[in-house]
Amino acid sequence: MFRATISGIGVEIPEARITNEELVASFNSWVDKENDKRAAVGEPPLKKSDQEFILHASGVRERHVLMLDGILDPERMAPRIPARDDSELSVMAEFGVKSAKRALDHAGLTGADIDMVICAASHHQRPYPAMGIEIQNALGIDGAAFDMALGCSSAAAGLHVAFNLVRTGAQRRVLVVTPEIITGHLNFRDRQTHFIFGDASTAMVIEGLDEDEQRPGRFEIVDTRSWTQFSNNIRTNFGFLLRAGQEDTAFIDMEGNMIKQVGNKVFKEVTVAGHKFIVGFLAEHGLTPHGIRRFWLHQANARMNAMILKLAFGHEVGQDRAPTVLERLGNTAAAGAIVAFKENHEDMKTGDYGLICAFGAGYSIGGALLRMM
Ligand code: COA
Protein backbone atom coordinates (compact mmCIF):
# COMPACT_ATOMS: atom_id res chain seq x y z
CA MET A 1 0.00 0.00 0.00
CA PHE A 2 1.14 3.51 -0.84
CA ARG A 3 0.58 6.65 1.23
CA ALA A 4 -1.36 9.48 -0.41
CA THR A 5 -1.66 13.26 -0.13
CA ILE A 6 -3.92 16.01 -1.38
CA SER A 7 -1.09 17.85 -3.13
CA GLY A 8 -3.22 20.55 -4.77
CA ILE A 9 -6.59 22.21 -4.23
CA GLY A 10 -8.23 24.67 -6.62
CA VAL A 11 -11.42 26.69 -6.25
CA GLU A 12 -13.31 28.77 -8.81
CA ILE A 13 -16.08 31.03 -7.51
CA PRO A 14 -18.02 32.90 -10.21
CA GLU A 15 -18.06 36.67 -9.86
CA ALA A 16 -21.80 37.33 -10.09
CA ARG A 17 -23.67 37.25 -6.80
CA ILE A 18 -27.24 37.53 -5.59
CA THR A 19 -28.16 38.80 -2.12
CA ASN A 20 -31.15 37.47 -0.18
CA GLU A 21 -32.80 40.86 -0.67
CA GLU A 22 -32.50 40.65 -4.48
CA LEU A 23 -33.62 37.02 -4.59
CA VAL A 24 -36.66 37.61 -2.38
CA ALA A 25 -37.65 40.76 -4.33
CA SER A 26 -37.69 38.76 -7.57
CA PHE A 27 -39.58 35.84 -6.00
CA ASN A 28 -42.17 38.09 -4.40
CA SER A 29 -42.74 40.06 -7.57
CA TRP A 30 -43.46 36.78 -9.37
CA VAL A 31 -45.80 35.76 -6.50
CA ASP A 32 -47.70 39.06 -6.80
CA LYS A 33 -48.35 38.47 -10.50
CA GLU A 34 -49.19 34.82 -9.96
CA ASN A 35 -51.61 35.66 -7.15
CA ASP A 36 -53.49 38.10 -9.38
CA LYS A 37 -54.05 35.19 -11.80
CA ARG A 38 -55.02 32.87 -8.95
CA ALA A 39 -57.46 35.36 -7.44
CA ALA A 40 -59.19 35.66 -10.82
CA VAL A 41 -59.91 31.90 -10.84
CA GLY A 42 -60.57 31.57 -7.11
CA GLU A 43 -57.33 29.68 -6.24
CA PRO A 44 -55.63 30.25 -2.85
CA PRO A 45 -52.66 32.65 -2.96
CA LEU A 46 -49.01 31.56 -2.88
CA LYS A 47 -46.97 32.58 0.18
CA LYS A 48 -44.19 35.12 -0.15
CA SER A 49 -40.54 34.50 0.68
CA ASP A 50 -38.79 36.37 3.42
CA GLN A 51 -35.11 37.33 3.75
CA GLU A 52 -35.14 37.24 7.54
CA PHE A 53 -36.48 33.67 7.45
CA ILE A 54 -33.76 32.67 4.98
CA LEU A 55 -30.93 34.08 7.09
CA HIS A 56 -32.32 32.62 10.31
CA ALA A 57 -33.23 29.18 8.89
CA SER A 58 -30.13 28.59 6.77
CA GLY A 59 -27.43 31.15 7.58
CA VAL A 60 -27.13 32.08 3.87
CA ARG A 61 -26.75 35.82 3.11
CA GLU A 62 -25.85 35.64 -0.58
CA ARG A 63 -24.76 33.20 -3.27
CA HIS A 64 -22.51 33.36 -6.33
CA VAL A 65 -23.89 32.16 -9.65
CA LEU A 66 -22.24 31.15 -12.92
CA MET A 67 -24.77 33.15 -14.93
CA LEU A 68 -26.81 35.95 -13.36
CA ASP A 69 -28.72 36.78 -16.53
CA GLY A 70 -32.29 35.49 -16.30
CA ILE A 71 -32.35 34.34 -12.66
CA LEU A 72 -33.88 37.48 -11.17
CA ASP A 73 -36.23 38.14 -14.08
CA PRO A 74 -39.70 37.20 -12.72
CA GLU A 75 -40.72 36.21 -16.26
CA ARG A 76 -37.92 33.60 -16.46
CA MET A 77 -36.33 32.80 -13.05
CA ALA A 78 -33.66 30.54 -14.52
CA PRO A 79 -30.12 31.33 -15.67
CA ARG A 80 -29.73 32.06 -19.36
CA ILE A 81 -26.70 29.98 -20.38
CA PRO A 82 -26.47 29.95 -24.17
CA ALA A 83 -26.17 26.50 -25.74
CA ARG A 84 -22.77 25.84 -27.30
CA ASP A 85 -21.80 24.03 -30.43
CA ASP A 86 -20.50 20.47 -29.93
CA SER A 87 -17.10 21.65 -31.16
CA GLU A 88 -16.76 24.12 -28.25
CA LEU A 89 -15.69 23.33 -24.68
CA SER A 90 -18.91 22.73 -22.81
CA VAL A 91 -20.02 25.00 -19.96
CA MET A 92 -19.52 22.45 -17.19
CA ALA A 93 -16.10 21.32 -18.47
CA GLU A 94 -14.98 24.95 -18.74
CA PHE A 95 -15.99 25.61 -15.12
CA GLY A 96 -14.19 22.42 -14.04
CA VAL A 97 -11.04 23.27 -15.99
CA LYS A 98 -10.78 26.62 -14.17
CA SER A 99 -10.62 24.99 -10.73
CA ALA A 100 -8.50 22.10 -12.07
CA LYS A 101 -5.83 24.51 -13.38
CA ARG A 102 -5.65 26.13 -9.94
CA ALA A 103 -5.28 22.72 -8.27
CA LEU A 104 -2.49 21.74 -10.68
CA ASP A 105 -0.68 25.06 -10.04
CA HIS A 106 -1.05 24.54 -6.30
CA ALA A 107 0.47 21.07 -6.66
CA GLY A 108 3.24 22.37 -8.95
CA LEU A 109 2.10 19.98 -11.68
CA THR A 110 0.77 20.11 -15.23
CA GLY A 111 -1.78 17.96 -17.03
CA ALA A 112 1.07 15.72 -18.22
CA ASP A 113 1.67 14.59 -14.60
CA ILE A 114 -1.91 13.35 -14.05
CA ASP A 115 -3.01 9.83 -15.02
CA MET A 116 -6.72 9.93 -14.16
CA VAL A 117 -9.56 12.45 -13.97
CA ILE A 118 -12.74 11.89 -11.98
CA CYS A 119 -15.47 14.46 -12.54
CA ALA A 120 -17.50 14.07 -9.33
CA ALA A 121 -20.51 16.39 -9.10
CA SER A 122 -24.18 16.37 -8.14
CA HIS A 123 -25.27 17.25 -11.71
CA HIS A 124 -23.61 16.40 -15.00
CA GLN A 125 -24.32 18.39 -18.13
CA ARG A 126 -24.85 15.22 -20.17
CA PRO A 127 -24.30 11.48 -19.78
CA TYR A 128 -21.68 11.14 -22.52
CA PRO A 129 -19.05 11.79 -23.61
CA ALA A 130 -18.19 11.91 -19.90
CA MET A 131 -17.48 15.39 -18.55
CA GLY A 132 -14.30 13.96 -17.03
CA ILE A 133 -13.03 12.98 -20.50
CA GLU A 134 -13.70 16.46 -21.85
CA ILE A 135 -11.80 17.96 -18.89
CA GLN A 136 -9.01 15.40 -19.41
CA ASN A 137 -8.78 16.45 -23.07
CA ALA A 138 -8.79 20.18 -22.29
CA LEU A 139 -5.93 19.75 -19.82
CA GLY A 140 -3.82 17.50 -22.04
CA ILE A 141 -3.98 14.54 -19.65
CA ASP A 142 -3.12 10.99 -20.78
CA GLY A 143 -4.74 8.00 -19.14
CA ALA A 144 -8.43 7.71 -18.31
CA ALA A 145 -11.38 9.64 -16.93
CA PHE A 146 -14.91 9.00 -15.74
CA ASP A 147 -17.86 10.72 -14.07
CA MET A 148 -19.36 10.11 -10.66
CA ALA A 149 -22.47 11.52 -9.00
CA LEU A 150 -23.53 11.23 -5.38
CA GLY A 151 -25.44 14.44 -4.63
CA CYS A 152 -23.66 16.76 -2.24
CA SER A 153 -21.29 13.94 -1.24
CA SER A 154 -19.89 13.66 -4.78
CA ALA A 155 -16.50 15.28 -4.10
CA ALA A 156 -16.03 13.24 -0.92
CA ALA A 157 -16.97 10.08 -2.84
CA GLY A 158 -14.53 11.05 -5.62
CA LEU A 159 -11.85 11.50 -3.00
CA HIS A 160 -12.71 8.08 -1.52
CA VAL A 161 -12.26 6.42 -4.93
CA ALA A 162 -9.14 8.42 -5.83
CA PHE A 163 -7.48 7.69 -2.49
CA ASN A 164 -8.06 3.96 -2.85
CA LEU A 165 -6.82 3.94 -6.46
CA VAL A 166 -3.67 5.78 -5.43
CA ARG A 167 -2.95 3.80 -2.31
CA THR A 168 -3.25 0.48 -4.11
CA GLY A 169 -0.88 1.78 -6.79
CA ALA A 170 -3.44 1.55 -9.60
CA GLN A 171 -2.96 5.27 -10.31
CA ARG A 172 -0.18 7.69 -9.38
CA ARG A 173 -1.99 11.04 -9.55
CA VAL A 174 -5.75 11.49 -9.76
CA LEU A 175 -7.52 14.79 -10.35
CA VAL A 176 -10.98 14.99 -8.73
CA VAL A 177 -12.95 17.86 -10.30
CA THR A 178 -16.29 19.11 -8.93
CA PRO A 179 -17.95 21.77 -11.10
CA GLU A 180 -21.31 22.52 -9.47
CA ILE A 181 -23.72 24.56 -11.62
CA ILE A 182 -26.64 23.82 -9.36
CA THR A 183 -28.54 27.01 -10.29
CA GLY A 184 -29.16 25.38 -13.68
CA HIS A 185 -31.45 22.82 -12.02
CA LEU A 186 -32.86 24.92 -9.19
CA ASN A 187 -36.52 25.91 -9.19
CA PHE A 188 -36.32 29.62 -8.36
CA ARG A 189 -40.14 29.58 -8.05
CA ASP A 190 -40.07 27.11 -5.15
CA ARG A 191 -40.23 29.01 -1.84
CA GLN A 192 -38.73 26.01 0.04
CA THR A 193 -35.53 25.79 -1.99
CA HIS A 194 -35.05 28.95 -4.07
CA PHE A 195 -32.63 30.50 -1.55
CA ILE A 196 -30.47 27.49 -0.77
CA PHE A 197 -27.99 26.98 -3.59
CA GLY A 198 -25.10 28.70 -5.37
CA ASP A 199 -22.46 27.71 -7.93
CA ALA A 200 -18.78 26.87 -7.36
CA SER A 201 -16.16 24.58 -8.84
CA THR A 202 -13.41 22.76 -6.95
CA ALA A 203 -10.59 20.37 -7.79
CA MET A 204 -8.12 18.27 -5.81
CA VAL A 205 -4.97 16.43 -6.88
CA ILE A 206 -4.61 13.12 -5.02
CA GLU A 207 -1.05 11.95 -5.28
CA GLY A 208 0.92 8.92 -4.10
CA LEU A 209 3.81 9.43 -1.69
CA ASP A 210 7.03 7.47 -1.44
CA GLU A 211 7.55 5.49 1.75
CA ASP A 212 8.92 8.20 4.06
CA GLU A 213 8.14 11.19 1.87
CA GLN A 214 6.93 14.31 3.67
CA ARG A 215 5.29 17.34 2.03
CA PRO A 216 5.25 20.14 4.59
CA GLY A 217 2.10 22.23 4.27
CA ARG A 218 0.18 19.37 2.65
CA PHE A 219 -2.14 16.79 4.20
CA GLU A 220 -1.63 13.06 4.18
CA ILE A 221 -4.93 11.24 3.65
CA VAL A 222 -5.20 8.92 6.64
CA ASP A 223 -8.43 7.27 5.48
CA THR A 224 -11.71 7.92 3.66
CA ARG A 225 -15.20 6.54 4.20
CA SER A 226 -18.56 6.52 2.39
CA TRP A 227 -22.09 5.80 3.71
CA THR A 228 -25.46 5.78 1.93
CA GLN A 229 -29.09 5.05 2.80
CA PHE A 230 -32.00 5.51 0.40
CA SER A 231 -34.24 8.54 0.94
CA ASN A 232 -36.64 10.49 -1.27
CA ASN A 233 -36.28 13.64 0.81
CA ILE A 234 -33.88 15.31 -1.64
CA ARG A 235 -34.73 14.28 -5.16
CA THR A 236 -34.77 15.26 -8.80
CA ASN A 237 -36.76 13.30 -11.35
CA PHE A 238 -34.97 14.83 -14.29
CA GLY A 239 -33.47 12.20 -16.54
CA PHE A 240 -33.51 10.57 -19.94
CA LEU A 241 -36.75 8.64 -19.37
CA LEU A 242 -38.70 11.83 -18.71
CA ARG A 243 -39.48 12.24 -22.40
CA ALA A 244 -40.73 8.68 -22.69
CA GLY A 245 -42.96 9.10 -19.63
CA GLN A 246 -44.99 11.94 -21.12
CA GLU A 247 -47.88 11.88 -23.57
CA ASP A 248 -46.56 14.85 -25.52
CA THR A 249 -42.94 13.87 -26.16
CA ALA A 250 -42.14 17.10 -27.96
CA PHE A 251 -42.44 19.06 -24.72
CA ILE A 252 -40.66 18.29 -21.46
CA ASP A 253 -42.41 19.91 -18.51
CA MET A 254 -39.77 20.95 -15.97
CA GLU A 255 -42.37 21.59 -13.26
CA GLY A 256 -41.86 18.87 -10.63
CA ASN A 257 -38.66 17.72 -12.32
CA MET A 258 -36.17 20.03 -10.64
CA ILE A 259 -34.59 19.79 -7.19
CA LYS A 260 -37.12 19.19 -4.45
CA GLN A 261 -36.45 18.58 -0.82
CA VAL A 262 -38.29 18.07 2.45
CA GLY A 263 -35.88 20.42 4.21
CA ASN A 264 -36.89 19.85 7.82
CA LYS A 265 -36.79 16.03 7.48
CA VAL A 266 -33.37 16.23 5.83
CA PHE A 267 -32.25 18.54 8.60
CA LYS A 268 -33.24 16.14 11.37
CA GLU A 269 -32.28 12.85 9.74
CA VAL A 270 -28.95 13.95 8.28
CA THR A 271 -27.92 15.72 11.49
CA VAL A 272 -28.28 12.44 13.39
CA ALA A 273 -26.64 10.37 10.63
CA GLY A 274 -23.81 12.91 10.22
CA HIS A 275 -23.04 12.86 13.92
CA LYS A 276 -23.05 9.05 13.99
CA PHE A 277 -20.83 8.87 10.90
CA ILE A 278 -18.24 11.29 12.31
CA VAL A 279 -18.00 9.66 15.72
CA GLY A 280 -17.86 6.13 14.21
CA PHE A 281 -15.27 6.98 11.54
CA LEU A 282 -13.01 8.75 14.02
CA ALA A 283 -13.34 5.92 16.55
CA GLU A 284 -12.01 3.49 13.93
CA HIS A 285 -8.81 5.52 14.11
CA GLY A 286 -8.73 5.79 17.90
CA LEU A 287 -9.85 9.42 17.73
CA THR A 288 -12.71 11.50 19.12
CA PRO A 289 -14.01 14.82 17.75
CA HIS A 290 -11.88 16.60 20.38
CA GLY A 291 -8.76 15.31 18.63
CA ILE A 292 -9.67 16.98 15.34
CA ARG A 293 -8.21 20.45 14.87
CA ARG A 294 -10.59 21.40 12.08
CA PHE A 295 -13.83 20.18 10.51
CA TRP A 296 -14.68 21.05 6.92
CA LEU A 297 -18.34 20.13 6.84
CA HIS A 298 -20.88 20.22 4.03
CA GLN A 299 -22.03 23.80 3.58
CA ALA A 300 -25.83 23.49 3.50
CA ASN A 301 -27.03 25.02 6.71
CA ALA A 302 -25.19 26.80 9.53
CA ARG A 303 -27.63 25.57 12.20
CA MET A 304 -27.29 21.99 10.99
CA ASN A 305 -23.49 22.07 11.20
CA ALA A 306 -23.67 23.69 14.64
CA MET A 307 -25.99 20.91 15.81
CA ILE A 308 -23.81 18.09 14.42
CA LEU A 309 -20.82 19.58 16.22
CA LYS A 310 -22.73 20.19 19.45
CA LEU A 311 -23.75 16.53 19.50
CA ALA A 312 -20.12 15.55 18.86
CA PHE A 313 -18.47 17.89 21.37
CA GLY A 314 -21.18 18.28 24.00
CA HIS A 315 -20.90 22.06 23.59
CA GLU A 316 -20.93 24.67 20.83
CA VAL A 317 -17.80 25.10 18.72
CA GLY A 318 -16.95 28.19 16.70
CA GLN A 319 -15.65 29.10 13.27
CA ASP A 320 -12.06 28.25 14.15
CA ARG A 321 -12.99 24.59 14.71
CA ALA A 322 -15.56 24.34 11.92
CA PRO A 323 -15.44 27.25 9.47
CA THR A 324 -18.41 28.00 7.23
CA VAL A 325 -18.43 29.65 3.81
CA LEU A 326 -22.15 29.24 3.16
CA GLU A 327 -22.98 32.77 4.38
CA ARG A 328 -21.51 34.22 1.19
CA LEU A 329 -21.76 31.23 -1.18
CA GLY A 330 -24.97 29.41 -0.23
CA ASN A 331 -25.00 25.63 -0.56
CA THR A 332 -22.62 24.90 -3.43
CA ALA A 333 -23.52 21.18 -3.31
CA ALA A 334 -20.46 18.91 -3.33
CA ALA A 335 -18.08 21.85 -3.77
CA GLY A 336 -18.95 23.42 -0.39
CA ALA A 337 -16.84 21.35 2.00
CA ILE A 338 -13.85 21.58 -0.37
CA VAL A 339 -14.15 25.39 -0.56
CA ALA A 340 -14.22 25.48 3.28
CA PHE A 341 -11.12 23.22 3.26
CA LYS A 342 -9.23 25.34 0.73
CA GLU A 343 -9.92 28.60 2.56
CA ASN A 344 -9.19 27.31 6.06
CA HIS A 345 -6.13 25.09 6.39
CA GLU A 346 -2.97 27.13 6.02
CA ASP A 347 -2.66 27.89 9.75
CA MET A 348 -2.68 24.20 10.68
CA LYS A 349 0.44 22.62 12.23
CA THR A 350 2.33 19.39 11.56
CA GLY A 351 0.43 16.47 13.09
CA ASP A 352 -2.93 18.32 13.21
CA TYR A 353 -5.91 16.25 12.11
CA GLY A 354 -8.67 17.62 9.91
CA LEU A 355 -11.91 16.03 8.74
CA ILE A 356 -13.75 16.66 5.48
CA CYS A 357 -17.35 15.50 5.90
CA ALA A 358 -20.02 16.06 3.25
CA PHE A 359 -23.65 14.94 3.34
CA GLY A 360 -26.70 15.18 1.15
CA ALA A 361 -29.00 13.50 -1.33
CA GLY A 362 -29.15 9.73 -1.33
CA TYR A 363 -28.87 10.05 1.66
CA SER A 364 -25.11 9.98 1.37
CA ILE A 365 -22.22 10.91 3.61
CA GLY A 366 -18.53 10.96 2.70
CA GLY A 367 -15.57 11.62 4.93
CA ALA A 368 -11.80 12.04 4.64
CA LEU A 369 -9.53 12.04 7.69
CA LEU A 370 -6.42 14.14 6.98
CA ARG A 371 -3.21 14.82 8.91
CA MET A 372 -0.91 17.76 8.22
CA MET A 373 2.60 16.59 7.25
N1 COA B 1 -39.75 32.35 3.33
C1 COA B 1 -40.53 32.44 4.42
N2 COA B 1 -40.97 31.36 5.09
C2 COA B 1 -40.64 30.15 4.62
C3 COA B 1 -39.82 29.99 3.47
C4 COA B 1 -39.38 31.16 2.84
N3 COA B 1 -38.59 31.10 1.75
N4 COA B 1 -39.65 28.67 3.25
C5 COA B 1 -40.33 28.02 4.20
N5 COA B 1 -40.92 28.91 5.03
C6 COA B 1 -41.80 28.64 6.17
C7 COA B 1 -42.59 27.35 6.01
O1 COA B 1 -43.73 27.55 5.24
C8 COA B 1 -42.91 27.02 7.43
O2 COA B 1 -44.00 27.80 7.85
P1 COA B 1 -45.24 27.16 8.63
O3 COA B 1 -44.63 26.61 9.90
O4 COA B 1 -46.15 28.32 8.83
O5 COA B 1 -45.76 26.09 7.74
C9 COA B 1 -41.69 27.53 8.21
O6 COA B 1 -41.03 28.44 7.33
C10 COA B 1 -40.73 26.44 8.61
O7 COA B 1 -40.46 25.61 7.45
P2 COA B 1 -39.39 24.47 7.51
O8 COA B 1 -39.33 23.81 6.16
O9 COA B 1 -39.65 23.59 8.70
O10 COA B 1 -38.06 25.33 7.73
P3 COA B 1 -36.67 24.92 8.35
O11 COA B 1 -36.44 25.63 9.60
O12 COA B 1 -36.46 23.41 8.36
O13 COA B 1 -35.64 25.54 7.27
C11 COA B 1 -34.29 24.73 5.42
C12 COA B 1 -35.71 25.17 5.92
C13 COA B 1 -34.41 24.23 4.00
C14 COA B 1 -33.39 25.97 5.49
C15 COA B 1 -33.73 23.63 6.33
O14 COA B 1 -34.70 22.64 6.57
C16 COA B 1 -32.49 22.97 5.80
O15 COA B 1 -31.49 23.60 5.53
N6 COA B 1 -32.51 21.63 5.73
C17 COA B 1 -31.36 20.84 5.36
C18 COA B 1 -31.03 20.96 3.93
C19 COA B 1 -29.84 20.11 3.59
O16 COA B 1 -28.96 19.91 4.37
N7 COA B 1 -29.81 19.58 2.43
C20 COA B 1 -28.79 18.62 2.17
C21 COA B 1 -27.92 18.88 1.19
S1 COA B 1 -28.35 19.54 -0.31
Side-chain angles (χ1 to χ4, degrees):
M1 286 292 194
F2 292 84
R3 294 161 56 234
T5 176
I6 302 179
S7 62
I9 322 167
V11 168
E12 171 70 14
I13 308 289
E15 240 174 71
R17 66 191 182 104
I18 301 176
T19 63
N20 287 347
E21 193 178 0
E22 291 165 325
L23 195 72
V24 166
S26 152
F27 183 90
N28 289 348
S29 125
W30 170 74
V31 167
D32 281 338
K33 280 190 193 152
E34 201 60 21
N35 283 346
D36 287 345
K37 288 187 218 157
R38 288 173 164 249
V41 292
E43 280 182 17
L46 296 174
K47 290 182 182 167
K48 291 200 172 180
S49 189
D50 177 63
Q51 52 172 313
E52 263 140 50
F53 167 84
I54 294 172
L55 184 58
H56 168 76
S58 69
V60 177
R61 290 180 185 275
E62 58 184 29
R63 69 284 298 140
H64 286 242
V65 297
L66 187 66
M67 183 59 79
L68 180 59
D69 184 26
I71 294 179
L72 296 176
D73 174 1
E75 300 298 324
R76 180 176 170 94
M77 294 172 85
R80 189 178 280 106
I81 303 174
R84 293 184 181 179
D85 189 81
D86 289 357
S87 62
E88 291 177 84
L89 188 64
S90 57
V91 174
M92 184 173 169
E94 182 179 80
F95 200 30
V97 162
K98 284 184 181 167
S99 59
K101 281 186 173 162
R102 295 215 166 114
L104 289 171
D105 285 348
H106 187 220
L109 300 171
T110 70
D113 301 308
I114 303 294
D115 56 4
M116 173 162 280
V117 177
I118 302 174
C119 182
S122 61
H123 298 80
H124 290 274
Q125 188 173 338
R126 57 167 189 262
Y128 46 84
M131 299 314 303
I133 303 177
E134 195 177 1
I135 293 169
Q136 174 196 3
N137 184 51
L139 293 170
I141 294 172
D142 288 332
F146 61 91
D147 291 351
M148 284 179 54
L150 193 63
C152 291
S153 309
S154 295
L159 183 53
H160 182 52
V161 171
F163 170 59
N164 282 294
L165 288 171
V166 167
R167 80 166 164 171
T168 55
Q171 309 294 148
R172 177 70 184 166
R173 294 192 191 97
V174 181
L175 182 65
V176 178
V177 191
T178 303
E180 293 285 20
I181 314 175
I182 198 152
T183 53
H185 197 49
L186 180 57
N187 185 356
F188 284 97
R189 290 182 175 148
D190 175 25
R191 179 170 171 263
Q192 302 273 2
T193 54
H194 79 117
F195 58 87
I196 295 179
F197 296 100
D199 301 326
S201 180
T202 62
M204 293 179 278
V205 179
I206 318 305
E207 192 174 345
L209 292 168
D210 294 328
E211 204 174 334
D212 295 318
E213 191 181 346
Q214 295 299 324
R215 301 268 184 103
R218 295 291 187 270
F219 288 93
E220 179 171 352
I221 306 171
V222 179
D223 199 6
T224 56
R225 195 63 84 246
S226 206
W227 173 92
T228 56
Q229 183 180 84
F230 186 71
S231 166
N232 270 326
N233 288 331
I234 315 168
R235 182 170 175 129
T236 171
N237 281 320
F238 188 73
F240 78 101
L241 282 181
L242 200 54
R243 174 174 157 266
Q246 301 193 153
E247 275 307 308
D248 178 1
T249 52
F251 173 73
I252 293 180
D253 186 2
M254 285 304 294
E255 195 58 48
N257 291 314
M258 288 178 275
I259 301 165
K260 52 187 180 184
Q261 104 169 337
V262 189
N264 46 17
K265 277 200 180 171
V266 175
F267 190 106
K268 286 180 204 136
E269 292 169 5
V270 175
T271 298
V272 173
H275 161 68
K276 207 173 144 200
F277 176 93
I278 289 172
V279 171
F281 181 33
L282 294 180
E284 284 179 45
H285 294 276
L287 291 165
T288 67
H290 292 87
I292 304 302
R293 173 70 188 86
R294 192 153 287 149
F295 290 80
W296 304 285
L297 300 185
H298 178 45
Q299 300 290 309
N301 185 306
R303 284 188 303 129
M304 194 170 165
N305 287 7
M307 211 167 278
I308 289 176
L309 292 159
K310 196 171 175 188
L311 284 170
F313 281 85
H315 56 82
E316 307 228 331
V317 300
Q319 284 284 325
D320 180 58
R321 202 59 169 267
T324 51
V325 298
L326 62 90
E327 298 82 357
R328 59 173 221 278
L329 301 180
N331 177 350
T332 51
I338 311 305
V339 178
F341 172 43
K342 169 71 181 163
E343 292 186 1
N344 299 280
H345 72 269
E346 280 172 6
D347 61 327
M348 288 175 69
K349 310 254 182 318
T350 301
D352 280 352
Y353 283 103
L355 184 78
I356 293 174
C357 184
F359 31 86
Y363 294 134
S364 59
I365 305 182
L369 178 62
L370 311 179
R371 187 173 47 221
M372 181 64 102
M373 285 186 276

